Amino acid sequence: RLATMRANRDRAFHGIHSDATVAGSDGAAPRRRDERELTELDVFGTLKEKHHKNTVKTMRAMYADVRERRRRAMEDLTPLQRRARASGGVNPFDWSDGHVGHFYEFMVAENAASERGAKSRAMVFERQDESGQNVVEELFDSFRADYADRWRAEVVCGIDASAGACERYRDAAAEACEALLGDDDAREMGACETYLHTYGIVHEHWHVEDYVQARNTLGYSKPKMEAPKRYPANLWGDSVLARSRNGECSACSTQVITLQGYVDVDVGTTYSLGAEREDKWVFDAERWAHDVPMTKFKIAKTCCTNAQFACFVETGGYADRSLWSHEGWRWVEKRRAAGELLAPLGWKVSPCVKFLSNGEEAPACESWRCAYFDEAPRALHPQHPVCHVSWYEAEAYCNWIGARLPTEAEWEAAARTTTSWSTDKQTTKRRTYPWGEESPSEDKANLGGHFGGTIDVSALGAGDSAHGCRQMLGNVWEWTASAFLPFPGFQMDYPYRENSCPWFGYRKVVKGGCWATSAPIARAAYRHSFWPHMHNTFSGFRAAIGGSQKRALCILPQKIQSGAKCGNVVTMERISSHLEKNHIMSITRSIFDLPQSKEDLANIIHAMNVDLIIVLHAFKCGAVIDTVQAYKDMLPPIILVLGGTDVNVDSRKSALAEEQFRRRVDVATKVVSFSLSMIEAAPKGALKFIESDSTSKTKLIPQGVMLPSTLKASKRKRLADETVETPGELQGTSRPADLSIPIMFLPAGLRPVKDVCFINDALTAYNSNGIKAHLTVCGPFLDSAYAKRVRCQFDGRSDCTLLAGVDRATLVRFIGEAKVLLNTSVSEGQSGTIAEAMMVGTLVFARDIPGNRQLFELCEARALAALGPATIKEMKGDGWEVHPVGVLFSTPEGCMRAFEALGLERESTEDVDVSLIRLRAREGVAELSLNEAKRWTEILDEITAHGS
């Protein structure tokens, strides 16, 4: 008898020092191993841990169920279709049949039986190799058969692995396993015996899902996977009756907005992740329970929808490098280079009109269609979960909305715990399913292919977790942030050593199963994994947000170009710093990074889960204000921060523009103005402001200054030693004819309102007898037509330089190195840049408009309180005057006259009052900055009180 035994797979393939043997072939009738013999098969002792026992009747029903699922998934495929083509990582269907047969025979039957008679493989594939070993082991063991070899069995093994032969092998091997059960249906099987048979069935369930996935990848027809009248619902013997179709599942909503938001989950400081010893079924990757640190978090009640993800695509999500990880961006570029459509797999560009009948832009999802299996392209179902997205795409979308993917522990905590878990966990077990312990049924989860695909994310409310999260089982696999790694106490299971180990590390954990996952294997604790680039799987995601900190969406009227930060961008950064000091997290987005239709915009703002919206400019960001008005019941309060062009330009263009301005001011909860002149310039009565009234809707908050942290330590350098005049980075970049020529520095985004060529002619005249001053304009090109005109005026001149935008720290260094900071804006604006110049000790020359004059007066008022009265002599001339904190000019010539009068030109002696002006300006603006912070705290406190 010993001559008929051979080394088991542990010894033969893995080289594990095991004395266990498996059944040979001596013609004897098969005999089941007893439990003692089975536990000895695994040298690591994992079989000794098995404790759940099924009856033979239950196991036979599980075999019948998986056989029927496999039949439905494959029966209509021709032999040619079963051979398939190598595409998207799919396996040939016929090879998969042989592989399943191999698993049943080698992993189940040869371990469960002490002797085996005629082997299943010998019944189908007779050929042996030179060593006498049957070639089935070489062809159908997935860790021995090279991927390409699965299509060329005759070349590799010299056998005819036809579809019919592979199917017969699968059936024969499964029948051999069932035969080992015996005829006594009432017999309670041993725990190890139960485990081995169950593992074989689970393995085929995995492949049933693979068959459905492969049919979609290859463009085959969708299999008909209707549920039988009664079917096994788990791996420990429970079964459920198929229910009549739920109307909410068959109907597809046309609604764009997902009303469900987020839910807070607080399970205390730790969560126990992993399987408990008493659990009925455990994969090795789930061993064993261990505490992981936890903090309070929010998680979306539903998965991201097609409508939401379409907004990400339409607003350029695949072109925004800042949203993608290094690996993710490489994946995007690889797809782009291959000419692939950058969208979820299966999406097609729609030829439909992108505007509604009223002229407004249509929702983004109407720009796309989709095609799955062999179906013709159809409209996206807006409320279905987005499917066929990689981990990289899921991560990028979450970054876009200011969220992230949940960790595996967070996902499980939301699925398996109660709302009072922090106190319940000492006495209550984690749930097996999100809804409790009742087996999965069609009113709770979209599993097993019974619904034929994904369904609306709002369906199946009976399957909600205790926290209110919907469809955490079924519909789509859900990506998590966690890498697929072993838990403490991990040990490979017997006999399938490769179930987890080869995939640890780079794969990402997915949870919950999908619409094609068989119900018996779906559990909230089930750990599955995909490569992060995989998007042919039925995978989606839901977003999470860490902590309980309040959040604000800050919207800019322009994009940040080439890393350049000036004007509005700097203003919003400063506002964000005030939010941070008040424990509010800011999410800053350009209006161009957000959807254009009101429905989409409301949908995405709702998905961002913000408590406050701050918009800069009533007209450029007016779409956001209009959306808040249309969806005020679901969107948070809004603060409107006015820009100079709002009151001086845009609101004066027409009666309609004025009416728009008034309406948007009415929608805002609070309105912020940087100067009194802006309030006075607004349409009469539009801004109700009483300075002494703390409840006034309009708030006056003069801009202060916030220097980059790298420059704060040296901000007083210019004041400490005014005699030091060494060429700096600005001179080197501007390249004046002589490095000793003083530079007038004008930082501004190029658009008409900044009027950066205002002094050009006067500068030409001033330098007619030799260059005494050099003008450097620096800023991003915000208006291409205007930028072109500016370039034409600067080309060929030796006393002017035009620089593209630079990063913020470089810009402030340039300001600090300049002789003067020049401001030529025709309306309110750039007060932040003026304040920065004052703080670093650079003399400011500002155009004499109401906003600039008021800023100077505010600074002087603060300087008066700190330093006492100014001792600066009165100086003024035609078109210019010296103010205690700077210079105001009304004409280009006046600007140059002041430059000359103060001795700022080359080879001149600087007027003694210049250093006093710089000192008063710095002290004044420092006090203004403190006042700005105080005012923002007050307004945020008022908003919070308003919201509550």
Short mmCIF file of all heavy atoms in Angstrom, two decimals, residues 744 746 755-770 772-773 775 777 789-790 792-795 797 799-800 822 824 889 891-897:
data_model
loop_
_atom_site.label_atom_id
_atom_site.label_comp_id
_atom_site.label_asym_id
_atom_site.label_seq_id
_atom_site.Cartn_x
_atom_site.Cartn_y
_atom_site.Cartn_z
N MET A 744 11.81 98.59 -10.48
CA MET A 744 10.42 98.80 -10.07
C MET A 744 9.69 97.49 -10.40
O MET A 744 9.58 97.11 -11.56
CB MET A 744 9.80 99.98 -10.84
CG MET A 744 10.62 101.25 -10.76
SD MET A 744 9.94 102.58 -11.80
CE MET A 744 8.55 103.12 -10.79
N LEU A 746 6.52 94.96 -10.56
CA LEU A 746 5.07 94.98 -10.66
C LEU A 746 4.56 93.54 -10.81
O LEU A 746 4.54 92.99 -11.91
CB LEU A 746 4.64 95.82 -11.87
CG LEU A 746 3.19 96.33 -11.91
CD1 LEU A 746 3.02 97.37 -13.03
CD2 LEU A 746 2.16 95.24 -12.09
N ASP A 755 -3.58 96.70 -15.89
CA ASP A 755 -3.00 97.84 -16.61
C ASP A 755 -1.48 97.94 -16.41
O ASP A 755 -0.94 99.00 -16.05
CB ASP A 755 -3.67 99.14 -16.13
CG ASP A 755 -3.52 100.27 -17.15
OD1 ASP A 755 -3.07 100.00 -18.28
OD2 ASP A 755 -3.85 101.42 -16.80
N VAL A 756 -0.78 96.84 -16.67
CA VAL A 756 0.65 96.77 -16.33
C VAL A 756 1.51 97.65 -17.23
O VAL A 756 2.69 97.89 -16.92
CB VAL A 756 1.15 95.30 -16.38
CG1 VAL A 756 0.43 94.46 -15.36
CG2 VAL A 756 1.03 94.72 -17.79
N CYS A 757 0.97 98.14 -18.34
CA CYS A 757 1.75 99.02 -19.23
C CYS A 757 1.50 100.51 -18.94
O CYS A 757 1.90 101.38 -19.73
CB CYS A 757 1.41 98.72 -20.69
SG CYS A 757 1.81 97.03 -21.20
N PHE A 758 0.85 100.80 -17.82
CA PHE A 758 0.42 102.16 -17.50
C PHE A 758 1.58 103.17 -17.54
O PHE A 758 1.45 104.28 -18.04
CB PHE A 758 -0.24 102.17 -16.11
CG PHE A 758 -0.75 103.50 -15.66
CD1 PHE A 758 -1.78 104.14 -16.33
CD2 PHE A 758 -0.19 104.14 -14.55
CE1 PHE A 758 -2.26 105.38 -15.90
CE2 PHE A 758 -0.66 105.37 -14.11
CZ PHE A 758 -1.70 105.99 -14.80
N ILE A 759 2.76 102.82 -17.03
CA ILE A 759 3.86 103.80 -16.95
C ILE A 759 4.88 103.63 -18.07
O ILE A 759 5.93 104.31 -18.07
CB ILE A 759 4.59 103.71 -15.58
CG1 ILE A 759 5.41 102.42 -15.49
CG2 ILE A 759 3.63 103.85 -14.42
CD1 ILE A 759 6.45 102.46 -14.38
N ASN A 760 4.62 102.75 -19.05
CA ASN A 760 5.65 102.44 -20.05
C ASN A 760 6.17 103.68 -20.79
O ASN A 760 7.38 103.89 -20.93
CB ASN A 760 5.12 101.42 -21.06
CG ASN A 760 5.26 99.99 -20.54
OD1 ASN A 760 5.34 99.79 -19.33
ND2 ASN A 760 5.26 99.02 -21.44
N ASP A 761 5.25 104.49 -21.27
CA ASP A 761 5.68 105.67 -22.03
C ASP A 761 6.45 106.64 -21.15
O ASP A 761 7.48 107.23 -21.56
CB ASP A 761 4.47 106.37 -22.66
CG ASP A 761 3.84 105.55 -23.76
OD1 ASP A 761 4.53 104.62 -24.27
OD2 ASP A 761 2.68 105.80 -24.12
N ALA A 762 5.96 106.85 -19.92
CA ALA A 762 6.66 107.75 -18.99
C ALA A 762 8.04 107.21 -18.64
O ALA A 762 9.01 107.98 -18.48
CB ALA A 762 5.82 107.94 -17.73
N LEU A 763 8.16 105.89 -18.53
CA LEU A 763 9.45 105.28 -18.24
C LEU A 763 10.42 105.50 -19.40
O LEU A 763 11.62 105.78 -19.19
CB LEU A 763 9.27 103.79 -17.96
CG LEU A 763 10.54 103.00 -17.63
CD1 LEU A 763 11.14 103.47 -16.31
CD2 LEU A 763 10.24 101.49 -17.56
N THR A 764 9.90 105.39 -20.62
CA THR A 764 10.74 105.63 -21.80
C THR A 764 11.31 107.05 -21.78
O THR A 764 12.51 107.27 -22.01
CB THR A 764 9.92 105.42 -23.09
OG1 THR A 764 9.44 104.08 -23.12
CG2 THR A 764 10.78 105.67 -24.32
N ALA A 765 10.43 108.00 -21.49
CA ALA A 765 10.89 109.40 -21.42
C ALA A 765 11.88 109.61 -20.29
O ALA A 765 12.89 110.32 -20.43
CB ALA A 765 9.69 110.32 -21.25
N TYR A 766 11.61 108.98 -19.16
CA TYR A 766 12.48 109.11 -17.98
C TYR A 766 13.89 108.58 -18.27
O TYR A 766 14.89 109.13 -17.81
CB TYR A 766 11.84 108.35 -16.83
CG TYR A 766 12.56 108.43 -15.51
CD1 TYR A 766 12.54 109.60 -14.77
CD2 TYR A 766 13.26 107.33 -15.01
CE1 TYR A 766 13.19 109.67 -13.54
CE2 TYR A 766 13.92 107.40 -13.79
CZ TYR A 766 13.88 108.56 -13.06
OH TYR A 766 14.52 108.64 -11.84
N ASN A 767 13.96 107.50 -19.07
CA ASN A 767 15.24 106.86 -19.36
C ASN A 767 15.85 107.34 -20.68
O ASN A 767 16.80 106.73 -21.19
CB ASN A 767 15.05 105.34 -19.42
CG ASN A 767 14.82 104.72 -18.06
OD1 ASN A 767 15.32 105.23 -17.06
ND2 ASN A 767 14.07 103.63 -18.01
N SER A 768 15.36 108.45 -21.22
CA SER A 768 15.81 108.89 -22.55
C SER A 768 17.29 109.27 -22.58
O SER A 768 17.94 109.14 -23.62
CB SER A 768 14.95 110.07 -23.03
OG SER A 768 15.04 111.16 -22.12
N ASN A 769 17.81 109.74 -21.47
CA ASN A 769 19.22 110.12 -21.41
C ASN A 769 20.08 109.09 -20.68
O ASN A 769 21.12 109.42 -20.11
CB ASN A 769 19.36 111.49 -20.74
CG ASN A 769 18.74 112.60 -21.56
OD1 ASN A 769 18.83 112.59 -22.78
ND2 ASN A 769 18.08 113.53 -20.88
N GLY A 770 19.61 107.87 -20.64
CA GLY A 770 20.32 106.81 -19.92
C GLY A 770 19.37 106.13 -18.95
O GLY A 770 18.56 106.79 -18.30
N LYS A 772 17.84 104.85 -15.89
CA LYS A 772 17.95 105.13 -14.46
C LYS A 772 17.01 104.26 -13.61
O LYS A 772 17.12 104.25 -12.38
CB LYS A 772 17.65 106.61 -14.21
CG LYS A 772 18.66 107.56 -14.84
CD LYS A 772 18.25 109.01 -14.68
CE LYS A 772 17.11 109.36 -15.65
NZ LYS A 772 16.76 110.81 -15.62
N ALA A 773 16.09 103.57 -14.28
CA ALA A 773 15.15 102.67 -13.58
C ALA A 773 14.71 101.58 -14.54
O ALA A 773 14.61 101.81 -15.75
CB ALA A 773 13.95 103.44 -13.07
N LEU A 775 11.81 98.44 -15.21
CA LEU A 775 10.49 97.90 -14.83
C LEU A 775 10.45 96.40 -15.11
O LEU A 775 10.74 95.97 -16.23
CB LEU A 775 9.38 98.59 -15.63
CG LEU A 775 7.97 97.99 -15.50
CD1 LEU A 775 7.46 98.12 -14.06
CD2 LEU A 775 7.00 98.66 -16.47
N VAL A 777 7.76 93.27 -14.84
CA VAL A 777 6.39 92.79 -14.61
C VAL A 777 6.45 91.28 -14.51
O VAL A 777 7.07 90.61 -15.34
CB VAL A 777 5.45 93.22 -15.75
CG1 VAL A 777 4.06 92.61 -15.56
CG2 VAL A 777 5.35 94.74 -15.81
N ARG A 789 -0.63 91.58 -26.20
CA ARG A 789 -0.40 93.02 -26.38
C ARG A 789 0.74 93.50 -25.47
O ARG A 789 1.56 94.33 -25.87
CB ARG A 789 -1.68 93.80 -26.07
CG ARG A 789 -2.81 93.55 -27.07
CD ARG A 789 -3.88 94.63 -26.98
NE ARG A 789 -4.51 94.70 -25.68
CZ ARG A 789 -5.58 93.99 -25.34
NH1 ARG A 789 -6.11 93.13 -26.21
NH2 ARG A 789 -6.12 94.12 -24.15
N VAL A 790 0.77 92.98 -24.25
CA VAL A 790 1.84 93.36 -23.32
C VAL A 790 3.20 92.94 -23.87
O VAL A 790 4.17 93.70 -23.84
CB VAL A 790 1.59 92.75 -21.92
CG1 VAL A 790 2.79 93.00 -21.01
CG2 VAL A 790 0.33 93.33 -21.30
N CYS A 792 4.10 92.57 -26.87
CA CYS A 792 4.47 93.45 -27.99
C CYS A 792 5.08 94.76 -27.48
O CYS A 792 6.03 95.30 -28.08
CB CYS A 792 3.24 93.76 -28.85
SG CYS A 792 2.68 92.34 -29.83
N GLN A 793 4.56 95.28 -26.36
CA GLN A 793 5.07 96.53 -25.81
C GLN A 793 6.43 96.36 -25.12
O GLN A 793 7.20 97.30 -25.01
CB GLN A 793 4.07 97.15 -24.84
CG GLN A 793 2.78 97.63 -25.50
CD GLN A 793 2.09 98.69 -24.67
OE1 GLN A 793 2.73 99.48 -24.00
NE2 GLN A 793 0.76 98.71 -24.75
N PHE A 794 6.70 95.15 -24.64
CA PHE A 794 7.94 94.91 -23.91
C PHE A 794 9.07 94.43 -24.82
O PHE A 794 10.24 94.57 -24.48
CB PHE A 794 7.71 93.89 -22.80
CG PHE A 794 7.16 94.47 -21.53
CD1 PHE A 794 5.91 95.06 -21.50
CD2 PHE A 794 7.90 94.44 -20.37
CE1 PHE A 794 5.40 95.60 -20.34
CE2 PHE A 794 7.40 94.98 -19.19
CZ PHE A 794 6.15 95.57 -19.18
N ASP A 795 8.71 93.83 -25.96
CA ASP A 795 9.73 93.28 -26.86
C ASP A 795 10.71 94.36 -27.32
O ASP A 795 10.31 95.46 -27.73
CB ASP A 795 9.07 92.65 -28.10
CG ASP A 795 8.47 91.28 -27.77
OD1 ASP A 795 8.74 90.77 -26.67
OD2 ASP A 795 7.72 90.74 -28.62
N ARG A 797 12.79 96.15 -25.67
CA ARG A 797 13.13 97.23 -24.74
C ARG A 797 14.18 96.76 -23.74
O ARG A 797 14.10 95.64 -23.22
CB ARG A 797 11.89 97.71 -23.99
CG ARG A 797 10.87 98.38 -24.90
CD ARG A 797 9.77 99.03 -24.12
NE ARG A 797 10.26 100.00 -23.15
CZ ARG A 797 9.49 100.93 -22.59
NH1 ARG A 797 8.21 101.01 -22.93
NH2 ARG A 797 9.99 101.78 -21.72
N ASP A 799 14.78 98.52 -20.92
CA ASP A 799 14.44 98.99 -19.58
C ASP A 799 13.18 98.31 -19.04
O ASP A 799 12.62 98.75 -18.04
CB ASP A 799 14.25 100.52 -19.57
CG ASP A 799 13.15 100.97 -20.52
OD1 ASP A 799 12.64 100.13 -21.29
OD2 ASP A 799 12.81 102.18 -20.49
N CYS A 800 12.72 97.24 -19.68
CA CYS A 800 11.53 96.50 -19.24
C CYS A 800 11.78 95.00 -19.38
O CYS A 800 12.41 94.55 -20.34
CB CYS A 800 10.30 96.87 -20.06
SG CYS A 800 9.73 98.55 -19.87
N LEU A 822 5.42 98.26 -7.38
CA LEU A 822 4.55 99.10 -8.19
C LEU A 822 3.17 98.48 -8.31
O LEU A 822 3.03 97.28 -8.56
CB LEU A 822 5.16 99.28 -9.58
CG LEU A 822 4.51 100.28 -10.53
CD1 LEU A 822 4.60 101.70 -9.95
CD2 LEU A 822 5.17 100.23 -11.90
N THR A 824 -0.47 99.26 -10.38
CA THR A 824 -1.10 100.09 -11.41
C THR A 824 -2.54 99.69 -11.68
O THR A 824 -3.13 100.12 -12.67
CB THR A 824 -0.31 99.99 -12.73
OG1 THR A 824 -0.24 98.61 -13.13
CG2 THR A 824 1.10 100.54 -12.57
N PHE A 889 0.31 107.80 -6.76
CA PHE A 889 0.45 108.55 -8.00
C PHE A 889 -0.82 108.39 -8.84
O PHE A 889 -1.49 107.35 -8.79
CB PHE A 889 1.68 108.07 -8.79
CG PHE A 889 1.62 106.64 -9.24
CD1 PHE A 889 1.06 106.28 -10.46
CD2 PHE A 889 2.15 105.63 -8.43
CE1 PHE A 889 1.02 104.95 -10.86
CE2 PHE A 889 2.09 104.30 -8.83
CZ PHE A 889 1.52 103.96 -10.05
N THR A 891 -0.82 109.73 -12.26
CA THR A 891 -0.43 109.73 -13.67
C THR A 891 0.88 108.98 -13.82
O THR A 891 1.67 108.86 -12.87
CB THR A 891 -0.23 111.17 -14.18
OG1 THR A 891 0.89 111.76 -13.49
CG2 THR A 891 -1.47 112.01 -13.97
N PRO A 892 1.14 108.43 -15.05
CA PRO A 892 2.42 107.75 -15.27
C PRO A 892 3.61 108.67 -15.01
O PRO A 892 4.60 108.27 -14.39
CB PRO A 892 2.34 107.34 -16.74
CG PRO A 892 0.89 107.28 -17.05
CD PRO A 892 0.26 108.35 -16.23
N GLU A 893 3.49 109.92 -15.47
CA GLU A 893 4.58 110.87 -15.27
C GLU A 893 4.78 111.16 -13.78
O GLU A 893 5.91 111.32 -13.31
CB GLU A 893 4.29 112.17 -16.03
CG GLU A 893 4.26 112.02 -17.54
CD GLU A 893 2.98 111.37 -18.05
OE1 GLU A 893 1.98 111.31 -17.27
OE2 GLU A 893 2.94 110.91 -19.21
N GLY A 894 3.65 111.26 -13.04
CA GLY A 894 3.73 111.49 -11.60
C GLY A 894 4.50 110.39 -10.90
O GLY A 894 5.26 110.64 -9.95
N CYS A 895 4.30 109.16 -11.35
CA CYS A 895 5.01 108.01 -10.77
C CYS A 895 6.52 108.21 -10.91
O CYS A 895 7.28 108.07 -9.93
CB CYS A 895 4.57 106.72 -11.44
SG CYS A 895 5.48 105.25 -10.92
N MET A 896 6.96 108.58 -12.12
CA MET A 896 8.39 108.74 -12.35
C MET A 896 8.95 109.98 -11.64
O MET A 896 10.10 109.98 -11.19
CB MET A 896 8.69 108.79 -13.84
CG MET A 896 8.21 107.56 -14.62
SD MET A 896 8.57 105.96 -13.83
CE MET A 896 10.34 106.04 -13.67
N ARG A 897 8.14 111.04 -11.53
CA ARG A 897 8.60 112.23 -10.81
C ARG A 897 8.85 111.90 -9.34
O ARG A 897 9.82 112.36 -8.73
CB ARG A 897 7.56 113.35 -10.93
CG ARG A 897 7.44 113.95 -12.33
CD ARG A 897 6.53 115.18 -12.32
NE ARG A 897 6.19 115.58 -13.68
CZ ARG A 897 4.99 115.42 -14.24
NH1 ARG A 897 4.01 114.88 -13.53
NH2 ARG A 897 4.77 115.80 -15.48
#
